[in-house]
Amino acid sequence: MHGFNQKSNALQSLLGLFLQSAHTPYKVIDTLAHLGISVSTDTINLAIQSLSQESQNSLQRLGQSLLASYAYDNFDVDLKHDVPTVEKSNDSLKHLTSGLMFPLVHGVTLDDLKCSEDLWRTSALNPLVDEPHTPPKRAWWDLLKQLQPEQSRFNVNASCRDRFKSWMFLHDLCTHGPEYFRQYKPMIQNPEPVEQIPTVKTPIFAAQAMDINNSTVSGNIQAVTELLEQGGVDDPAVIPEANVDGSPDVSKYVVLMHGDLGTGE
């Protein structure tokens, strides 16, 4: 277990990082370091700083390319007090926000995303746009109309959507239905591909957790702004002339954001 080579202590480094993540007291870690089981607390702190800096550089390289997509979600942490008081007896739950970044694959280019001005020109949220040039507003019940079967389902030349619905029904019936239908499952062929998208492995980069409660509109705006800052993308209206950080002008491009707090009334 004892490693004398300082350049070959992978096991001790992994154990040290694990002990640090498990909130092990420093005295215990230093004791294990003297036994050769772990690395010292100073080495662990240097490793964490190096990994954090490397992660930050990766986030900025990806974000400043503008070929990145962002995702964020809320999570709660219950911070227990050692000595509970009357004033803070019910104030231990902390609302935070986590974030991820991943590159846009399948040949997406900057020209594909250079449509911000066109979208804003026809957006219903633009107070300066003319009403005749805005697209018709849609509601959630308009989406339900898309689920209605088409008239061509009784025809031999059924649409792709109806053929997929039929395949899905047969697949579920023979997979999750009564035992009698299991014998017909090998007879079901794979559905025909329509504009098939190739499967690729997408790398995921974890952003720093944010002390933001995104259950409000202002919280969502703050989360989006801070995520873009972690990606090295600043507000185009406040970018300094020197622009030492190399922040690109994102005003002409679309940035894809993914969240889970969509609500309807």
Side-chain angles (χ1 to χ4, degrees):
M1 287 293 294
H2 198 288
F4 294 96
N5 188 354
Q6 296 182 356
K7 297 183 179 180
S8 179
N9 54 358
L11 177 61
Q12 289 84 354
S13 299
L14 291 176
L15 288 176
L17 292 175
F18 171 76
L19 294 173
Q20 174 78 2
S21 63
H23 305 287
T24 306
Y26 280 176
K27 292 183 178 180
V28 176
I29 297 178
D30 289 334
T31 302
L32 295 177
H34 288 298
L35 296 176
I37 301 177
S38 171
V39 293
S40 63
T41 54
D42 294 336
T43 304
I44 294 174
N45 293 332
L46 290 175
I48 293 176
Q49 293 178 6
S50 177
L51 292 173
S52 300
Q53 185 62 40
E54 182 179 353
S55 176
Q56 182 180 358
N57 294 337
S58 300
L59 290 175
Q60 290 187 355
R61 282 195 302 267
L62 178 58
Q64 292 180 355
S65 69
L66 299 182
L67 296 175
S69 184
Y70 300 79
Y72 64 96
D73 196 4
N74 62 301
F75 69 97
D76 299 329
V77 177
D78 192 6
L79 303 176
K80 298 292 185 179
H81 297 286
D82 295 336
V83 181
T85 59
V86 178
E87 293 81 3
K88 298 183 179 180
S89 58
N90 297 324
D91 193 22
S92 61
L93 191 63
K94 191 70 173 178
H95 304 286
L96 306 175
T97 300
S98 61
L100 296 174
M101 289 179 60
F102 51 93
L104 299 175
V105 292
H106 299 106
V108 178
T109 63
L110 285 177
D111 292 335
D112 299 330
L113 303 176
K114 198 174 182 180
C115 56
S116 178
E117 295 180 355
D118 296 335
L119 292 177
W120 182 245
R121 192 180 301 114
T122 58
S123 174
L125 300 177
N126 188 354
L128 303 179
V129 72
D130 296 332
E131 191 68 24
H133 295 86
T134 58
K137 296 182 179 180
R138 302 293 184 181
W140 62 268
W141 51 83
D142 294 321
L143 298 177
L144 297 180
K145 296 179 182 179
Q146 303 295 328
L147 302 178
Q148 298 297 327
E150 297 179 356
Q151 297 297 329
S152 61
R153 68 186 181 92
F154 298 104
N155 195 336
V156 179
N157 299 323
S159 65
C160 296
R161 187 176 67 189
D162 289 335
R163 290 198 299 270
F164 177 77
K165 291 178 181 178
S166 301
W167 177 87
M168 197 69 204
F169 176 81
L170 293 176
H171 180 271
D172 292 343
L173 179 64
C174 297
T175 304
H176 308 288
E179 188 69 26
Y180 171 79
F181 295 99
R182 306 292 173 87
Q183 57 181 324
Y184 300 107
K185 186 176 180 180
M187 302 174 58
I188 302 177
Q189 300 180 357
N190 293 329
E192 57 179 324
V194 179
E195 297 183 2
Q196 185 176 9
I197 301 176
T199 303
V200 297
K201 183 179 180 180
T202 304
I204 303 296
F205 300 90
Q208 184 179 358
M210 297 165 284
D211 188 6
I212 299 174
N213 183 7
N214 63 5
S215 62
T216 61
V217 176
S218 60
N220 274 269
I221 296 175
Q222 188 177 357
V224 170
T225 303
E226 187 163 333
L227 264 180
L228 290 174
E229 290 180 354
Q230 292 191 41
V233 180
D234 298 328
D235 188 352
V238 296
I239 293 179
E241 296 181 358
N243 196 9
V244 180
D245 298 332
S247 176
D249 186 0
V250 74
S251 59
K252 297 182 180 180
Y253 300 91
V254 172
V255 179
L256 301 180
M257 291 282 178
H258 305 270
D260 67 333
L261 294 179
T263 57
E265 183 177 354

